[in-house]
Amino acid sequence: MQKHVHGGDIYTCRPKVDFSANINPCGVPEGVLEAVRNCGQALANYPDPQCRGLRTAVAEKEEVPQEYLIFGNGAAELIFALVFALRPKKALLMAPGFAEYEQALRAAGCEISYYELHEEQGFYPGEDYFAQITEDVDLVFLCNPNNPTGVCLERPFLERAAEHCLKKGAVLALDECFNGFLDEPEAYSLKNRLADYPNLFLLKAFTKLYAMPGLRLGYGICADEELLARISLVLQPWSVSVPAQAAGVAALQEEAYVARAREIVRTERQRLTDGLTKLGLTVYPASANFLFFRGPAGLAKKTLEEGYLIRDCSNYHGLSEGFYRIAVRMPEENQGFLEALRKVLF
């Protein structure tokens, strides 16, 4: 059986600090913890399959109609549900890109076409990208900011991609799970164009921004209610638990927490960038809560020996050995990591 490698596997190696998973360094908000603690008696009931309380809260926060929303057991479930609802014959992915798009497509027997991103162009797609959206492409995945490179696609690029997909009859799945860490999230989103592009499916999650991957809560936003109905048919019943729904409602009230996290990420991202650069490593420009860099082969194994788990990106399509990704964490953790890195490099 093929093994799909992701960040955050602390159960295998038991690191001192996990830099491999791109989670908000501030930890779970207190309001979320309190909401989960208060769910005890409600666990005797099935979860609301319509996620009504959560739906109302998300619609208000995102400023979209409630009927545009669909919820799942993390963004991963919605990726698989979208693919199995559409059953595309051919899909277009950027490479390198998030591995679960490929995993879902292969599970559905879909042919995959890759648009290769190149280091010389800063891993930013060129004008030739749009020619890859051909008549036989049914589904296109974009991640913004891209994982693992951290590159942000500008609004004009996103709009052109959505327009090309609309003309060719393809669905555009735009993954915005890291959008909340950006200084100007709306500048890199197509949320206000949903009515113009019924073929657009925005993918979001509480996982990264609110540091709650263990609860599994994601949602999609789409103006095509028929597509949402098709996706609902392939979702398992009650996939969003009572604690997850309560946590989601509570998380949306944590505005001060999000503002603080963005400030910490901005400052610490620069600290890590400067530190990695001084150590002679090639660091690529970043805007979210993680950094993508190039270093010597075998670096991940050496840092793990010092207690720091980082993401070895050599298994991403389009990348070779020597590419790595690290999360931006709290000041003392970042400083400790840089000291450990200096030790293993020199």
Side-chain angles (χ1 to χ4, degrees):
M1 183 174 66
Q2 183 180 2
K3 181 180 180 182
H4 296 277
V5 180
H6 297 282
D9 184 12
I10 60 172
Y11 307 99
T12 299
C13 49
R14 303 290 179 179
K16 180 167 61 177
V17 185
D18 180 16
F19 275 80
S20 72
N22 307 325
I23 307 301
N24 192 323
C26 296
V28 187
E30 183 54 42
V32 170
L33 292 173
E34 184 65 20
V36 172
R37 284 194 289 264
N38 290 337
C39 282
Q41 295 301 318
L43 297 182
N45 306 317
Y46 281 102
D48 176 4
Q50 302 301 319
C51 299
R52 274 164 277 219
L54 179 61
R55 182 179 301 274
T56 299
V58 172
E60 181 178 344
K61 184 75 172 182
E62 296 283 10
E63 299 180 323
V64 297
Q66 291 192 27
E67 57 268 24
Y68 279 21
L69 296 169
I70 189 167
F71 297 90
N73 189 251
E77 182 181 48
L78 291 173
I79 291 170
F80 276 79
L82 174 65
V83 169
F84 277 84
L86 290 173
R87 286 287 180 176
K89 292 182 179 179
K90 186 176 182 179
L92 175 63
L93 301 180
M94 282 191 178
F98 187 48
E100 265 167 37
Y101 312 145
E102 180 180 352
Q103 184 182 353
L105 292 166
R106 293 204 181 283
C110 179
E111 177 187 349
I112 300 174
S113 176
Y114 295 96
Y115 178 83
E116 305 282 349
L117 299 167
H118 299 288
E119 184 179 7
E120 307 81 60
Q121 282 78 49
F123 295 101
Y124 200 93
E127 185 68 24
D128 59 337
Y129 172 77
F130 304 104
Q132 304 302 309
I133 305 174
T134 52
E135 297 282 355
D136 59 341
V137 170
D138 306 304
L139 178 59
V140 174
F141 275 100
L142 288 176
C143 187
N144 201 34
N146 190 41
N147 179 10
T149 64
V151 169
C152 281
L153 299 171
E154 304 283 348
R155 272 284 296 253
F157 182 96
L158 297 173
E159 289 171 345
R160 287 186 65 188
E163 193 66 39
H164 273 74
C165 287
L166 188 62
K167 289 179 180 178
K168 301 297 183 180
V171 170
L172 173 60
L174 179 56
D175 186 339
E176 296 188 349
C177 286
F178 290 105
N179 178 271
F181 289 102
L182 303 179
D183 292 332
E184 298 180 74
E186 300 300 327
Y188 299 93
S189 174
L190 285 185
K191 188 176 64 177
N192 66 351
R193 301 298 306 275
L194 285 161
D196 300 321
Y197 299 115
N199 63 317
L200 175 62
F201 183 87
L202 295 186
L203 183 67
K204 299 208 171 191
F206 288 79
T207 299
K208 314 296 184 181
L209 188 59
Y210 297 102
M212 41 189 271
L215 274 173
R216 313 307 305 139
L217 180 59
Y219 59 100
I221 316 178
C222 181
D224 186 345
E225 293 182 46
E226 182 181 347
L227 175 57
L228 293 179
R230 290 171 64 185
I231 296 172
S232 295
L233 289 175
V234 298
L235 286 171
Q236 61 171 314
W238 307 296
S239 66
V240 184
S241 70
V242 168
Q245 292 187 37
V249 172
L252 294 175
Q253 301 173 29
E254 296 283 347
E255 295 183 0
Y257 165 91
V258 172
R260 175 173 175 261
R262 284 179 181 160
E263 182 178 349
I264 290 172
V265 165
R266 188 185 309 114
T267 301
E268 291 305 305
R269 184 175 61 225
Q270 190 60 54
R271 177 213 291 264
L272 284 170
T273 299
D274 293 343
L276 293 171
T277 302
K278 289 177 181 177
L279 292 173
L281 304 172
T282 301
V283 187
Y284 302 94
S287 304
N289 63 323
F290 59 91
L291 289 175
F292 182 60
F293 68 97
R294 191 166 196 173
L299 185 62
K301 182 179 179 181
K302 292 179 180 178
T303 59
L304 183 57
E305 290 172 354
E306 298 298 320
Y308 294 89
L309 177 63
I310 69 175
R311 179 67 162 91
D312 183 339
C313 295
S314 60
N315 71 316
Y316 277 90
H317 186 101
L319 293 180
S320 57
E321 194 172 10
F323 286 98
Y324 305 96
R325 189 196 68 202
I326 57 170
V328 176
R329 296 192 58 92
M330 297 302 275
E332 62 277 10
E333 294 171 319
N334 296 330
Q335 186 58 41
F337 171 70
L338 289 173
E339 291 171 2
L341 198 56
R342 173 176 290 278
K343 178 179 177 182
V344 301
L345 288 173
F346 300 103

